[in-house]
Amino acid sequence: MIKASLPHPWLTCAAAGALAVAGFGDWPLWPLPILSLAFLFRESLRATSAKKAFVLGFSWGVTFFLCGVSWVYVSLHTFGMMPAALAALGTLLFCLFLALFPAVTSYLLRRIELPPAIALLVLAPAAWALNEWIRGWIFTGFPWLALGYSQIDGPLEGYAPLIGVFGISLASGIWASALALLVEYRTHRLAIAFLIGIPVIGLLCDRIEWTEGKRAPISVALIQGNIPQSLKFVPGRYESTLRTYAKLAEEAQAKLIVLPEIAIPRLLSNVDPAYLERLRGYALAQSGDMILPVPLMDEAGAYYNAAISIGSSPTQQYAKSHLVPFGEFVPPGFGWIIHILHIPMSDFGRGGETQQPLRIAGEAVAINICYEDAFGEEIIRQLPEASLLVNVSNVAWFGDSLAPAQHLKISRMRAIETRRYMLRATNTGVTAIIDARGEVTARLPTFNEGVLHGEARGHTGATPFVRIGNWATVSAASLMFAFAWAKSRRRKT
């Protein structure tokens, strides 16, 4: 029998949601989101009605997202120059929409009548994982702050090469549910078995060598220009930007040199060919190649957020495929917003979904641009052919906020899922070298100009996640949900 709940459980659920955000930063605070979710599940099951459970989940979600993605306001107001009140309203409405996903999980947990053990260990984690997966693709998707990201550096990290970040979210939901069940029933044997078994299996999986590293690593140099976002597209600043990147590229002594997203804020066709030859010379001096992110325009007049390679290998290119709504393209019916936001180049074309890795510096390099690395199932499109992952970003849009640390964790997850090195070249940070186990081997301080030198080892082979993507998790969660639904129906009859 579920005991009485707290007098004002929505307040404590809101506090728990805010606390969970701490697990997505630089520090290994992975237990906090598990404890927070266990509390939410327990209180949702204790609620006197499904509507009240919905309120609990909504309260948890509102504070979780308001604290976790508050940087949306920074990008809208500080750099997009949207009026403060309108930017605050837009951020609030966005977070209220995102809060519906945990609210639905809490509602279902109370609405579908089941024995507590099945409700917690089967229904709750399945609904949570499915809701996160849906959030990852609906309206182009926003998988940021998926629970699995918080478990990097914890015992559940080992599940990533098998079932990806949403699979870790499913495992985290089961672990949190087992904890809630144990707290409620003190000596529940099934809860104890899951509390021990889930992390032990994760630790054992982490010991498996899913891919094989090449014998010889390559030298890499990742450039962080630290160009202020407020000045990036100012016409009089263009020459200064070119000088900054030329100076840093000259310092880059490596086989593979990588510049950050839209390092050159002008269409490639409008860049002085002599400048491009100068950059090419720096790469040729190392018998290597350079990845130069720069906008491209095709013959039809469409332009793309892209990157080209220059140097010893034939010139190749990659065009960003997954664009950011309002920042990089304007959804149908929202053309009016262009008159409020002041974002240069805000209507890019989409690159192809089946682009091939760049054959440069003796490796097959899979490039992803900024926000694209939040979509693990899209990253694996270039695998297992790709031996290295490279992310070029400009997180300056979000200022000195939580976003850079959260984005670093996302990149680390992609490295763990694929068992590939991930090289991150960013404008203001975090520029980092991440090894095939997701460990940051080197990084530059944020908001500093510099070149990060190091080594990266190409890898061959494919993890289970590379081969099957999210479908293992979606199938497992769907079967769990169907089992819980069928069990509930049988109880009613």
Side-chain angles (χ1 to χ4, degrees), residues 2 9 40 46 109 124 145 173 182 192 196 215 281 288 353-354 385 401 439 463-465 468:
I2 298 296
L40 174 62
R46 284 180 162 196
L109 183 56
L145 297 187
L182 185 63
I192 294 173
I196 297 172
R215 291 184 179 180
E353 292 187 357
T354 58
E385 290 78 15
S401 67
E439 297 297 326
T463 65
F465 178 74
I468 61 177

Side-chain angles (χ1 to χ4, degrees), residues 43 57 94 122 137 143 145 166 213 255 269 368 390 420 452 487:
E43 289 303 307
F94 181 55
V122 180
W137 57 261
L145 297 187
F166 296 124
K255 188 82 170 176
S269 56
N368 52 90
V390 169
R420 298 291 197 278
L452 180 63
K487 190 76 172 176

Side-chain angles (χ1 to χ4, degrees), residues 303-305 318-323 348-355 372 381:
Y303 57 91
Y304 302 86
N305 187 352
Y318 171 82
K320 188 175 184 182
S321 174
H322 200 123
L323 303 178
F348 284 108
R350 296 180 187 275
E353 292 187 357
T354 58
Q355 300 176 72
E372 284 189 308
R381 289 173 182 165

